[in-house]
Amino acid sequence: MSADLSPGDATRCARAAAPVASVSRPLVPSLDLSVVYEIAGLDQIDGLNTGRLSGFSYARDGHPNAVQLAAKMCAIERAEAGLVCASGMAAIASTLLTLVSQGAHVIISEGLYGKSTTLVSRELIRFGVTHDSFDPARPETLEKLITSRTRLVLVETISNPLLRVSDLEAIARVTRGAGVPLMVDHTFAPLLCRPIELGATFVMHSVTKLIGGHSDLTLGVVVGPREAIERIRSVASTFGQTGNPFESWLALRGLATLSLRSDRASATALDLAARLEAHAQVTRVVYPGLPSHPDHNLARRLLTNGFGAMVSFDVGGREQADHLIRSLRHIPFASSLGDVQTTLSHPCSTSHRGQDPEMLQRLGITPGLIRLSVGLEDPEDLWSDLRLALEAR
Ligand SMILES: Cc1ncc(COP(=O)(O)O)c(C=O)c1O
């Protein structure tokens, strides 16, 4: 008998299982883990590489779960095209690596996520890329920083941890007038507003946070104009910064409940912020939904779907912050955000560790500052944990 009719056991084991025919389609996305695709011939590989044919050949360049996630994010952000990256930092890095070359200039807003600042101020500088910073609450200060070498302005909708709200419309008016792309890091504000409709060129998210929502995946996404995203896709693949199928698939699950989670977290965050503000052990509360927040009026105009899940508050100093962290019974100190359970972070020791102490002090990122990422628990249980810890001797 020929080997083909009766293959050996090693062959039976090694051959891939045949695709299963079905006239019906799965209701939810299938997980497509294949790294590589079988190509029918040279005309097909040429067609795939030139874009004449649609399909996949190698997962680092693209795979169905990333395409599904990117399409959903484009629908949410009203963007033409999107790319899933290995992390939020990979989304920022691949966009920057695409837009800048030696001698270029980048403008960032003050108080960005620490690693974003580090990427621009300590890493890109090694490749001859310079930068300037501006106060996003004062868009008029941006215009004079833009030069003929400026290739990108990067801001966050809601900054970390001081929750300053960027006047995206005013910033976009300046960048559009100067013909410079504006990228908005929308990690703290998915669904709260749509930066592209306000004039941004690119929107990026750390999908790791609120979009994934369960602290079980690390991914990023950047969306924007099709032509620019295709260039970023090619750079991201070359630098190995694209996202993988399993985490894209998990993120699709998380995204399904994002709207509900976001509404609930915003409502609880507002409630806790008001109670913290009235507590004697708390010296300062930072929440855009409170009238005491410096950007409250702007937040009311810009954030049409709630003020977000993040609340920061100061307990006076590093010692008090440590005491609070050790006294809490249920809210864990975990240096991320956006989970279904409430977590807290100490920005000076985590996200902003190693940043210029003078800059941190000037911005108000003080040693007593705690940042709460509000989850889905019963608000009374969260308040009881916080109150007892604040009052613990
Ligand atoms: C505002 C913001 N942008 C970007 C990032 C980077 O995201 P990732 O950890 O997925 O690389 C973070 C991470 O905390 C963040 O808070």
Side-chain angles (χ1 to χ4, degrees):
M1 215 177 281
S2 86
D4 206 38
L5 290 177
S6 182
D9 281 351
T11 306
R12 288 173 197 253
C13 289
R15 279 186 182 154
V20 179
S22 171
V23 291
S24 51
R25 288 188 306 169
L27 184 63
V28 297
S30 303
L31 173 57
D32 281 298
L33 286 175
S34 191
V35 169
V36 67
Y37 289 74
E38 186 181 344
I39 311 290
L42 298 186
D43 182 54
Q44 196 176 76
I45 191 87
D46 286 348
L48 286 169
N49 281 329
T50 57
R52 176 168 51 82
L53 299 174
S54 76
F56 305 96
S57 55
Y58 191 58
R60 199 185 65 241
D61 295 323
H63 53 79
N65 295 121
V67 170
Q68 287 165 325
L69 178 58
K72 273 208 159 198
M73 290 310 304
C74 287
I76 289 168
E77 297 294 358
R78 314 299 197 257
E80 268 177 31
L83 173 69
V84 174
C85 294
S87 65
M89 287 315 300
I92 297 174
S94 51
T95 306
L96 279 164
L97 288 169
T98 305
L99 298 181
V100 302
S101 40
Q102 203 177 25
H105 173 246
V106 170
I107 302 177
I108 58 176
S109 58
E110 279 179 345
L112 280 186
Y113 170 60
K115 278 262 156 65
S116 304
T117 306
T118 302
L119 171 58
V120 171
S121 64
R122 295 196 204 148
E123 302 299 341
L124 285 187
I125 189 90
R126 299 190 289 115
F127 304 95
V129 177
T130 57
H131 79 283
D132 277 299
S133 313
F134 80 109
D135 177 355
R138 294 170 59 220
E140 68 283 2
T141 59
L142 171 61
E143 194 160 6
K144 66 176 192 312
L145 297 175
I146 295 179
T147 75
S148 58
R149 296 182 298 109
T150 307
R151 294 290 173 269
L152 186 73
V153 174
L154 171 61
V155 303
E156 291 172 355
T157 312
I158 301 181
S159 76
N160 176 24
L162 292 178
L163 314 177
R164 293 304 304 264
V165 180
S166 295
D167 190 343
L168 296 181
E169 265 177 312
I171 293 171
R173 261 197 303 279
V174 176
T175 55
R176 295 225 152 192
V180 174
L182 169 66
M183 175 147 85
V184 175
D185 181 336
H186 208 34
T187 299
F188 276 31
L191 300 183
L192 303 188
C193 69
R194 292 196 282 270
I196 287 179
E197 288 185 345
L198 300 173
T201 320
F202 300 105
V203 173
M204 67 73 48
H205 291 269
S206 167
V207 176
T208 316
K209 313 298 182 198
L210 288 144
I211 294 172
H214 296 74
S215 299
D216 54 8
L217 63 93
T218 304
L219 278 186
V221 69
V222 53
V223 300
R226 186 170 307 284
E227 209 186 305
I229 293 292
E230 290 317 314
R231 284 199 295 129
I232 299 170
R233 187 188 308 284
S234 164
V235 170
S237 174
T238 304
F239 278 87
Q241 293 175 314
T242 50
N244 70 53
F246 182 52
E247 286 169 293
S248 302
W249 181 84
L250 277 178
L252 285 164
R253 275 181 74 110
L255 194 48
T257 55
L258 176 64
S259 172
L260 287 173
R261 289 187 284 109
S262 176
D263 289 350
R264 167 76 179 218
S266 278
T268 308
L270 181 59
D271 179 44
L272 292 179
R275 296 198 206 200
L276 284 165
E277 199 167 47
H279 197 283
Q281 300 301 114
V282 176
T283 59
R284 171 174 62 132
V285 177
V286 179
Y287 187 65
L290 292 180
S292 57
H293 190 280
D295 305 322
H296 180 61
N297 288 337
L298 173 62
R300 284 176 57 144
R301 180 161 53 82
L302 197 76
L303 308 177
T304 47
N305 272 325
F307 298 104
M310 243 48 71
V311 179
S312 295
F313 60 100
D314 203 312
V315 286
R318 183 185 160 85
E319 207 180 300
Q320 290 89 333
D322 189 46
H323 181 65
L324 177 81
I325 288 167
R326 286 186 292 102
S327 303
L328 283 163
R329 293 187 54 219
H330 301 290
I331 301 176
F333 172 27
S335 62
S336 187
L337 59 106
D339 192 46
V340 291
Q341 67 176 314
T342 300
T343 57
L344 70 75
S345 171
H346 183 247
C348 277
S349 311
T350 57
S351 54
H352 290 67
R353 192 180 194 92
Q355 300 293 313
D356 176 15
E358 190 268 322
M359 181 192 85
L360 292 182
Q361 190 63 37
R362 184 165 45 82
L363 293 175
I365 303 174
T366 44
L369 195 71
I370 297 279
R371 190 205 64 204
L372 210 54
S373 167
V374 177
L376 308 182
E377 301 92 332
D378 290 303
E380 287 307 327
D381 292 332
L382 290 171
W383 177 242
S384 149
D385 199 15
L386 282 167
R387 190 177 57 77
L388 290 174
L390 283 167
E391 290 164 14
R393 299 246 147 230

